[in-house]
Amino acid sequence: MRLTARRRAVIAVLVSWPLGFFYLYWAWYIVINIGRELRGGYSSCSGDWRDVSSACGSAYDIPLVLAELLVVTSMVVLAAWGLGRWVTWPVRSMGLTIEQLGPTNLGTRIRAAGPRDETRQLADAIDAMLDRVAEGYEAQRRFAANASHELRTPLATQRALIEVSLGSALTPDQLDLLSRQLLATNQRNESLIEGLLVLAETERGLMSNTNQQLDRLVVEVLAPLRAGADEQGIAITADLAEVQVNGEGPLLERLVSNLVGNAIKYNQRGGWVQVVVRAPGTLQVSNSGPVVPPELVNGLFEPFRRLSGDRLDHGGGVGLGLTIARSVVAAHHGSITASANPAGGLTIEVRLP
């Protein structure tokens, strides 16, 4: 039978209670009787108290009895300390396991066995927490690696274009093409850096938390996006109820802009985008487009991902739109979900407090 912390505590109580009772009774009996004999010895005999037992016929060798009392008391204290250590051993063993954790061995777990007592529940909770920590650490590591890759590739492209311009004389048409390519690459770098900064900002939490009129905010965001949608033959419709939410205005604007911008970008000519705002604090963005496999929907929230699961090609966006949206929603203590439309495209629903 495995001795859990609860069983150890029960055994410790069963053992220590009678022993402690007899020890206290014995110590009390000895001290009381020695006190009585000392008082009697002082009243009827002369000399030092150490001579009472010999001069007055005491039943106790007082110095020896006091030494025994000190020794027994010390033994009881040591036994109580050892019993306490024995009872708390399951918890201390978990501490020894946790001390081994580090960036290089995030797979270490307690993996407690036996009945699900309080100690087992604590160990399982710690293991679950370590799973979340390892998952977050791995996600941060992947994000840093992908971000460095996404930054390195356009920078190498810029360098190659500059070397071409320095290596030979260019015609006006070639110079114009080169300038446009450099401008496009620079704009992508700016978008990527801006997206990374927004992610870092949302990780810090909200700088302000005030009432925001969500329907008005959506109207303001849609106004500049309609022109680009019209050029691609995409119709934008809005069904906006008057809704107030708590949050930070610029981040909520970025949330709406990213969701609607993605709905326009990953669409098809002649398609549609529908934006719905309803009480108590729901924002829903749906669009037409290519069919999205349902099993790949959750992966779209990961940074630098596309439908195939690979990094985005450099002709499109930077691959942080939905990642930023998820981070903004998390900063507002809301929830965001995505589902694939049967006819193609996505429906993304955001619930804000």
Side-chain angles (χ1 to χ4, degrees):
M1 181 180 65
R2 180 176 177 270
L3 291 179
T4 62
R6 180 188 299 176
R7 290 170 179 169
R8 289 170 182 258
V10 171
I11 293 174
V13 170
L14 294 178
V15 171
S16 61
W17 170 250
L19 293 179
F21 174 79
F22 285 118
Y23 163 74
L24 291 176
Y25 180 81
W26 173 77
W28 173 82
Y29 180 82
I30 293 296
V31 171
I32 291 298
N33 282 277
I34 289 179
R36 288 174 179 174
E37 295 210 8
L38 287 177
R39 288 194 298 272
Y42 277 124
S43 61
S44 60
C45 303
S46 61
D48 191 79
W49 68 273
R50 287 182 293 271
D51 298 328
V52 170
S53 59
S54 59
C56 304
S58 172
Y60 296 96
D61 186 348
I62 295 177
L64 180 60
V65 171
L66 291 178
E68 291 177 354
L69 184 62
L70 178 61
V71 171
V72 173
T73 302
S74 300
M75 293 176 62
V76 170
V77 171
L78 289 175
W81 178 82
L83 198 59
R85 296 272 294 180
W86 179 72
V87 170
T88 59
W89 166 248
V91 178
R92 290 189 294 111
S93 63
M94 287 190 289
L96 296 176
T97 303
I98 294 173
E99 287 177 356
Q100 301 174 10
L101 285 172
T104 58
N105 57 346
L106 289 174
T108 301
R109 297 293 182 271
I110 298 174
R111 294 187 175 88
R116 286 190 58 82
D117 62 344
E118 289 81 359
T119 306
R120 171 71 182 278
Q121 293 175 4
L122 175 61
D124 292 344
I126 293 175
D127 283 345
M129 178 196 67
L130 294 177
D131 289 339
R132 294 191 297 270
V133 170
E135 182 180 354
Y137 182 87
E138 182 62 22
Q140 291 291 334
R141 188 194 65 79
R142 290 196 308 268
F143 179 81
N146 290 336
S148 64
H149 177 87
E150 294 294 325
L151 282 169
R152 186 183 300 113
T153 302
L155 289 176
T157 302
Q158 284 182 327
R159 179 175 180 175
L161 292 174
I162 294 173
E163 289 176 348
V164 169
S165 66
L166 295 177
S168 60
L170 300 177
T171 65
D173 291 340
Q174 290 174 333
L175 182 61
D176 179 70
L177 177 61
L178 179 64
S179 299
R180 292 181 182 277
Q181 290 175 337
L182 284 173
L183 180 61
T185 305
N186 186 72
Q187 288 175 340
R188 184 180 183 282
N189 286 342
E190 289 180 352
S191 300
L192 177 58
I193 293 173
E194 181 186 3
L196 294 175
L197 291 176
V198 172
L199 282 177
E201 181 181 353
T202 55
E203 290 294 330
R204 293 197 303 266
L206 301 181
M207 302 298 292
S208 64
N209 192 12
T210 58
N211 287 335
Q212 304 290 333
Q213 197 71 29
L214 184 58
D215 53 306
R216 295 179 184 175
L217 188 145
V218 171
V219 171
E220 295 175 357
V221 172
L222 289 180
L225 295 176
R226 289 186 183 275
D230 291 340
E231 292 179 0
Q232 302 179 41
I234 297 174
I236 298 179
T237 60
D239 180 11
L240 309 177
E242 294 186 3
V243 173
Q244 282 191 347
V245 296
N246 295 326
E248 185 174 342
L251 289 182
L252 291 176
E253 290 179 2
R254 185 59 182 261
L255 168 66
V256 178
S257 177
N258 280 13
L259 294 181
V260 178
N262 272 16
I264 296 172
K265 182 185 303 180
Y266 301 103
N267 212 313
Q268 54 194 7
R269 180 164 294 277
W272 53 267
V273 174
Q274 184 181 39
V275 182
V276 178
V277 172
R278 61 175 182 267
T282 300
L283 168 67
Q284 188 179 83
V285 179
S286 303
N287 70 303
S288 59
V291 176
V292 181
E295 65 273 11
L296 299 181
V297 170
N298 290 333
L300 297 178
F301 288 99
E302 295 299 320
F304 314 112
R305 293 292 180 89
R306 62 179 179 184
L307 290 182
S308 63
D310 301 324
R311 274 186 284 268
L312 285 167
D313 58 7
H314 297 291
V318 297
L320 292 176
L322 291 181
T323 304
I324 292 174
R326 181 180 60 180
S327 185
V328 171
V329 172
H332 286 80
H333 305 289
S335 62
I336 182 170
T337 57
S339 59
N341 298 328
L346 290 174
T347 295
I348 298 180
E349 185 172 279
V350 174
R351 297 182 181 270
L352 297 170

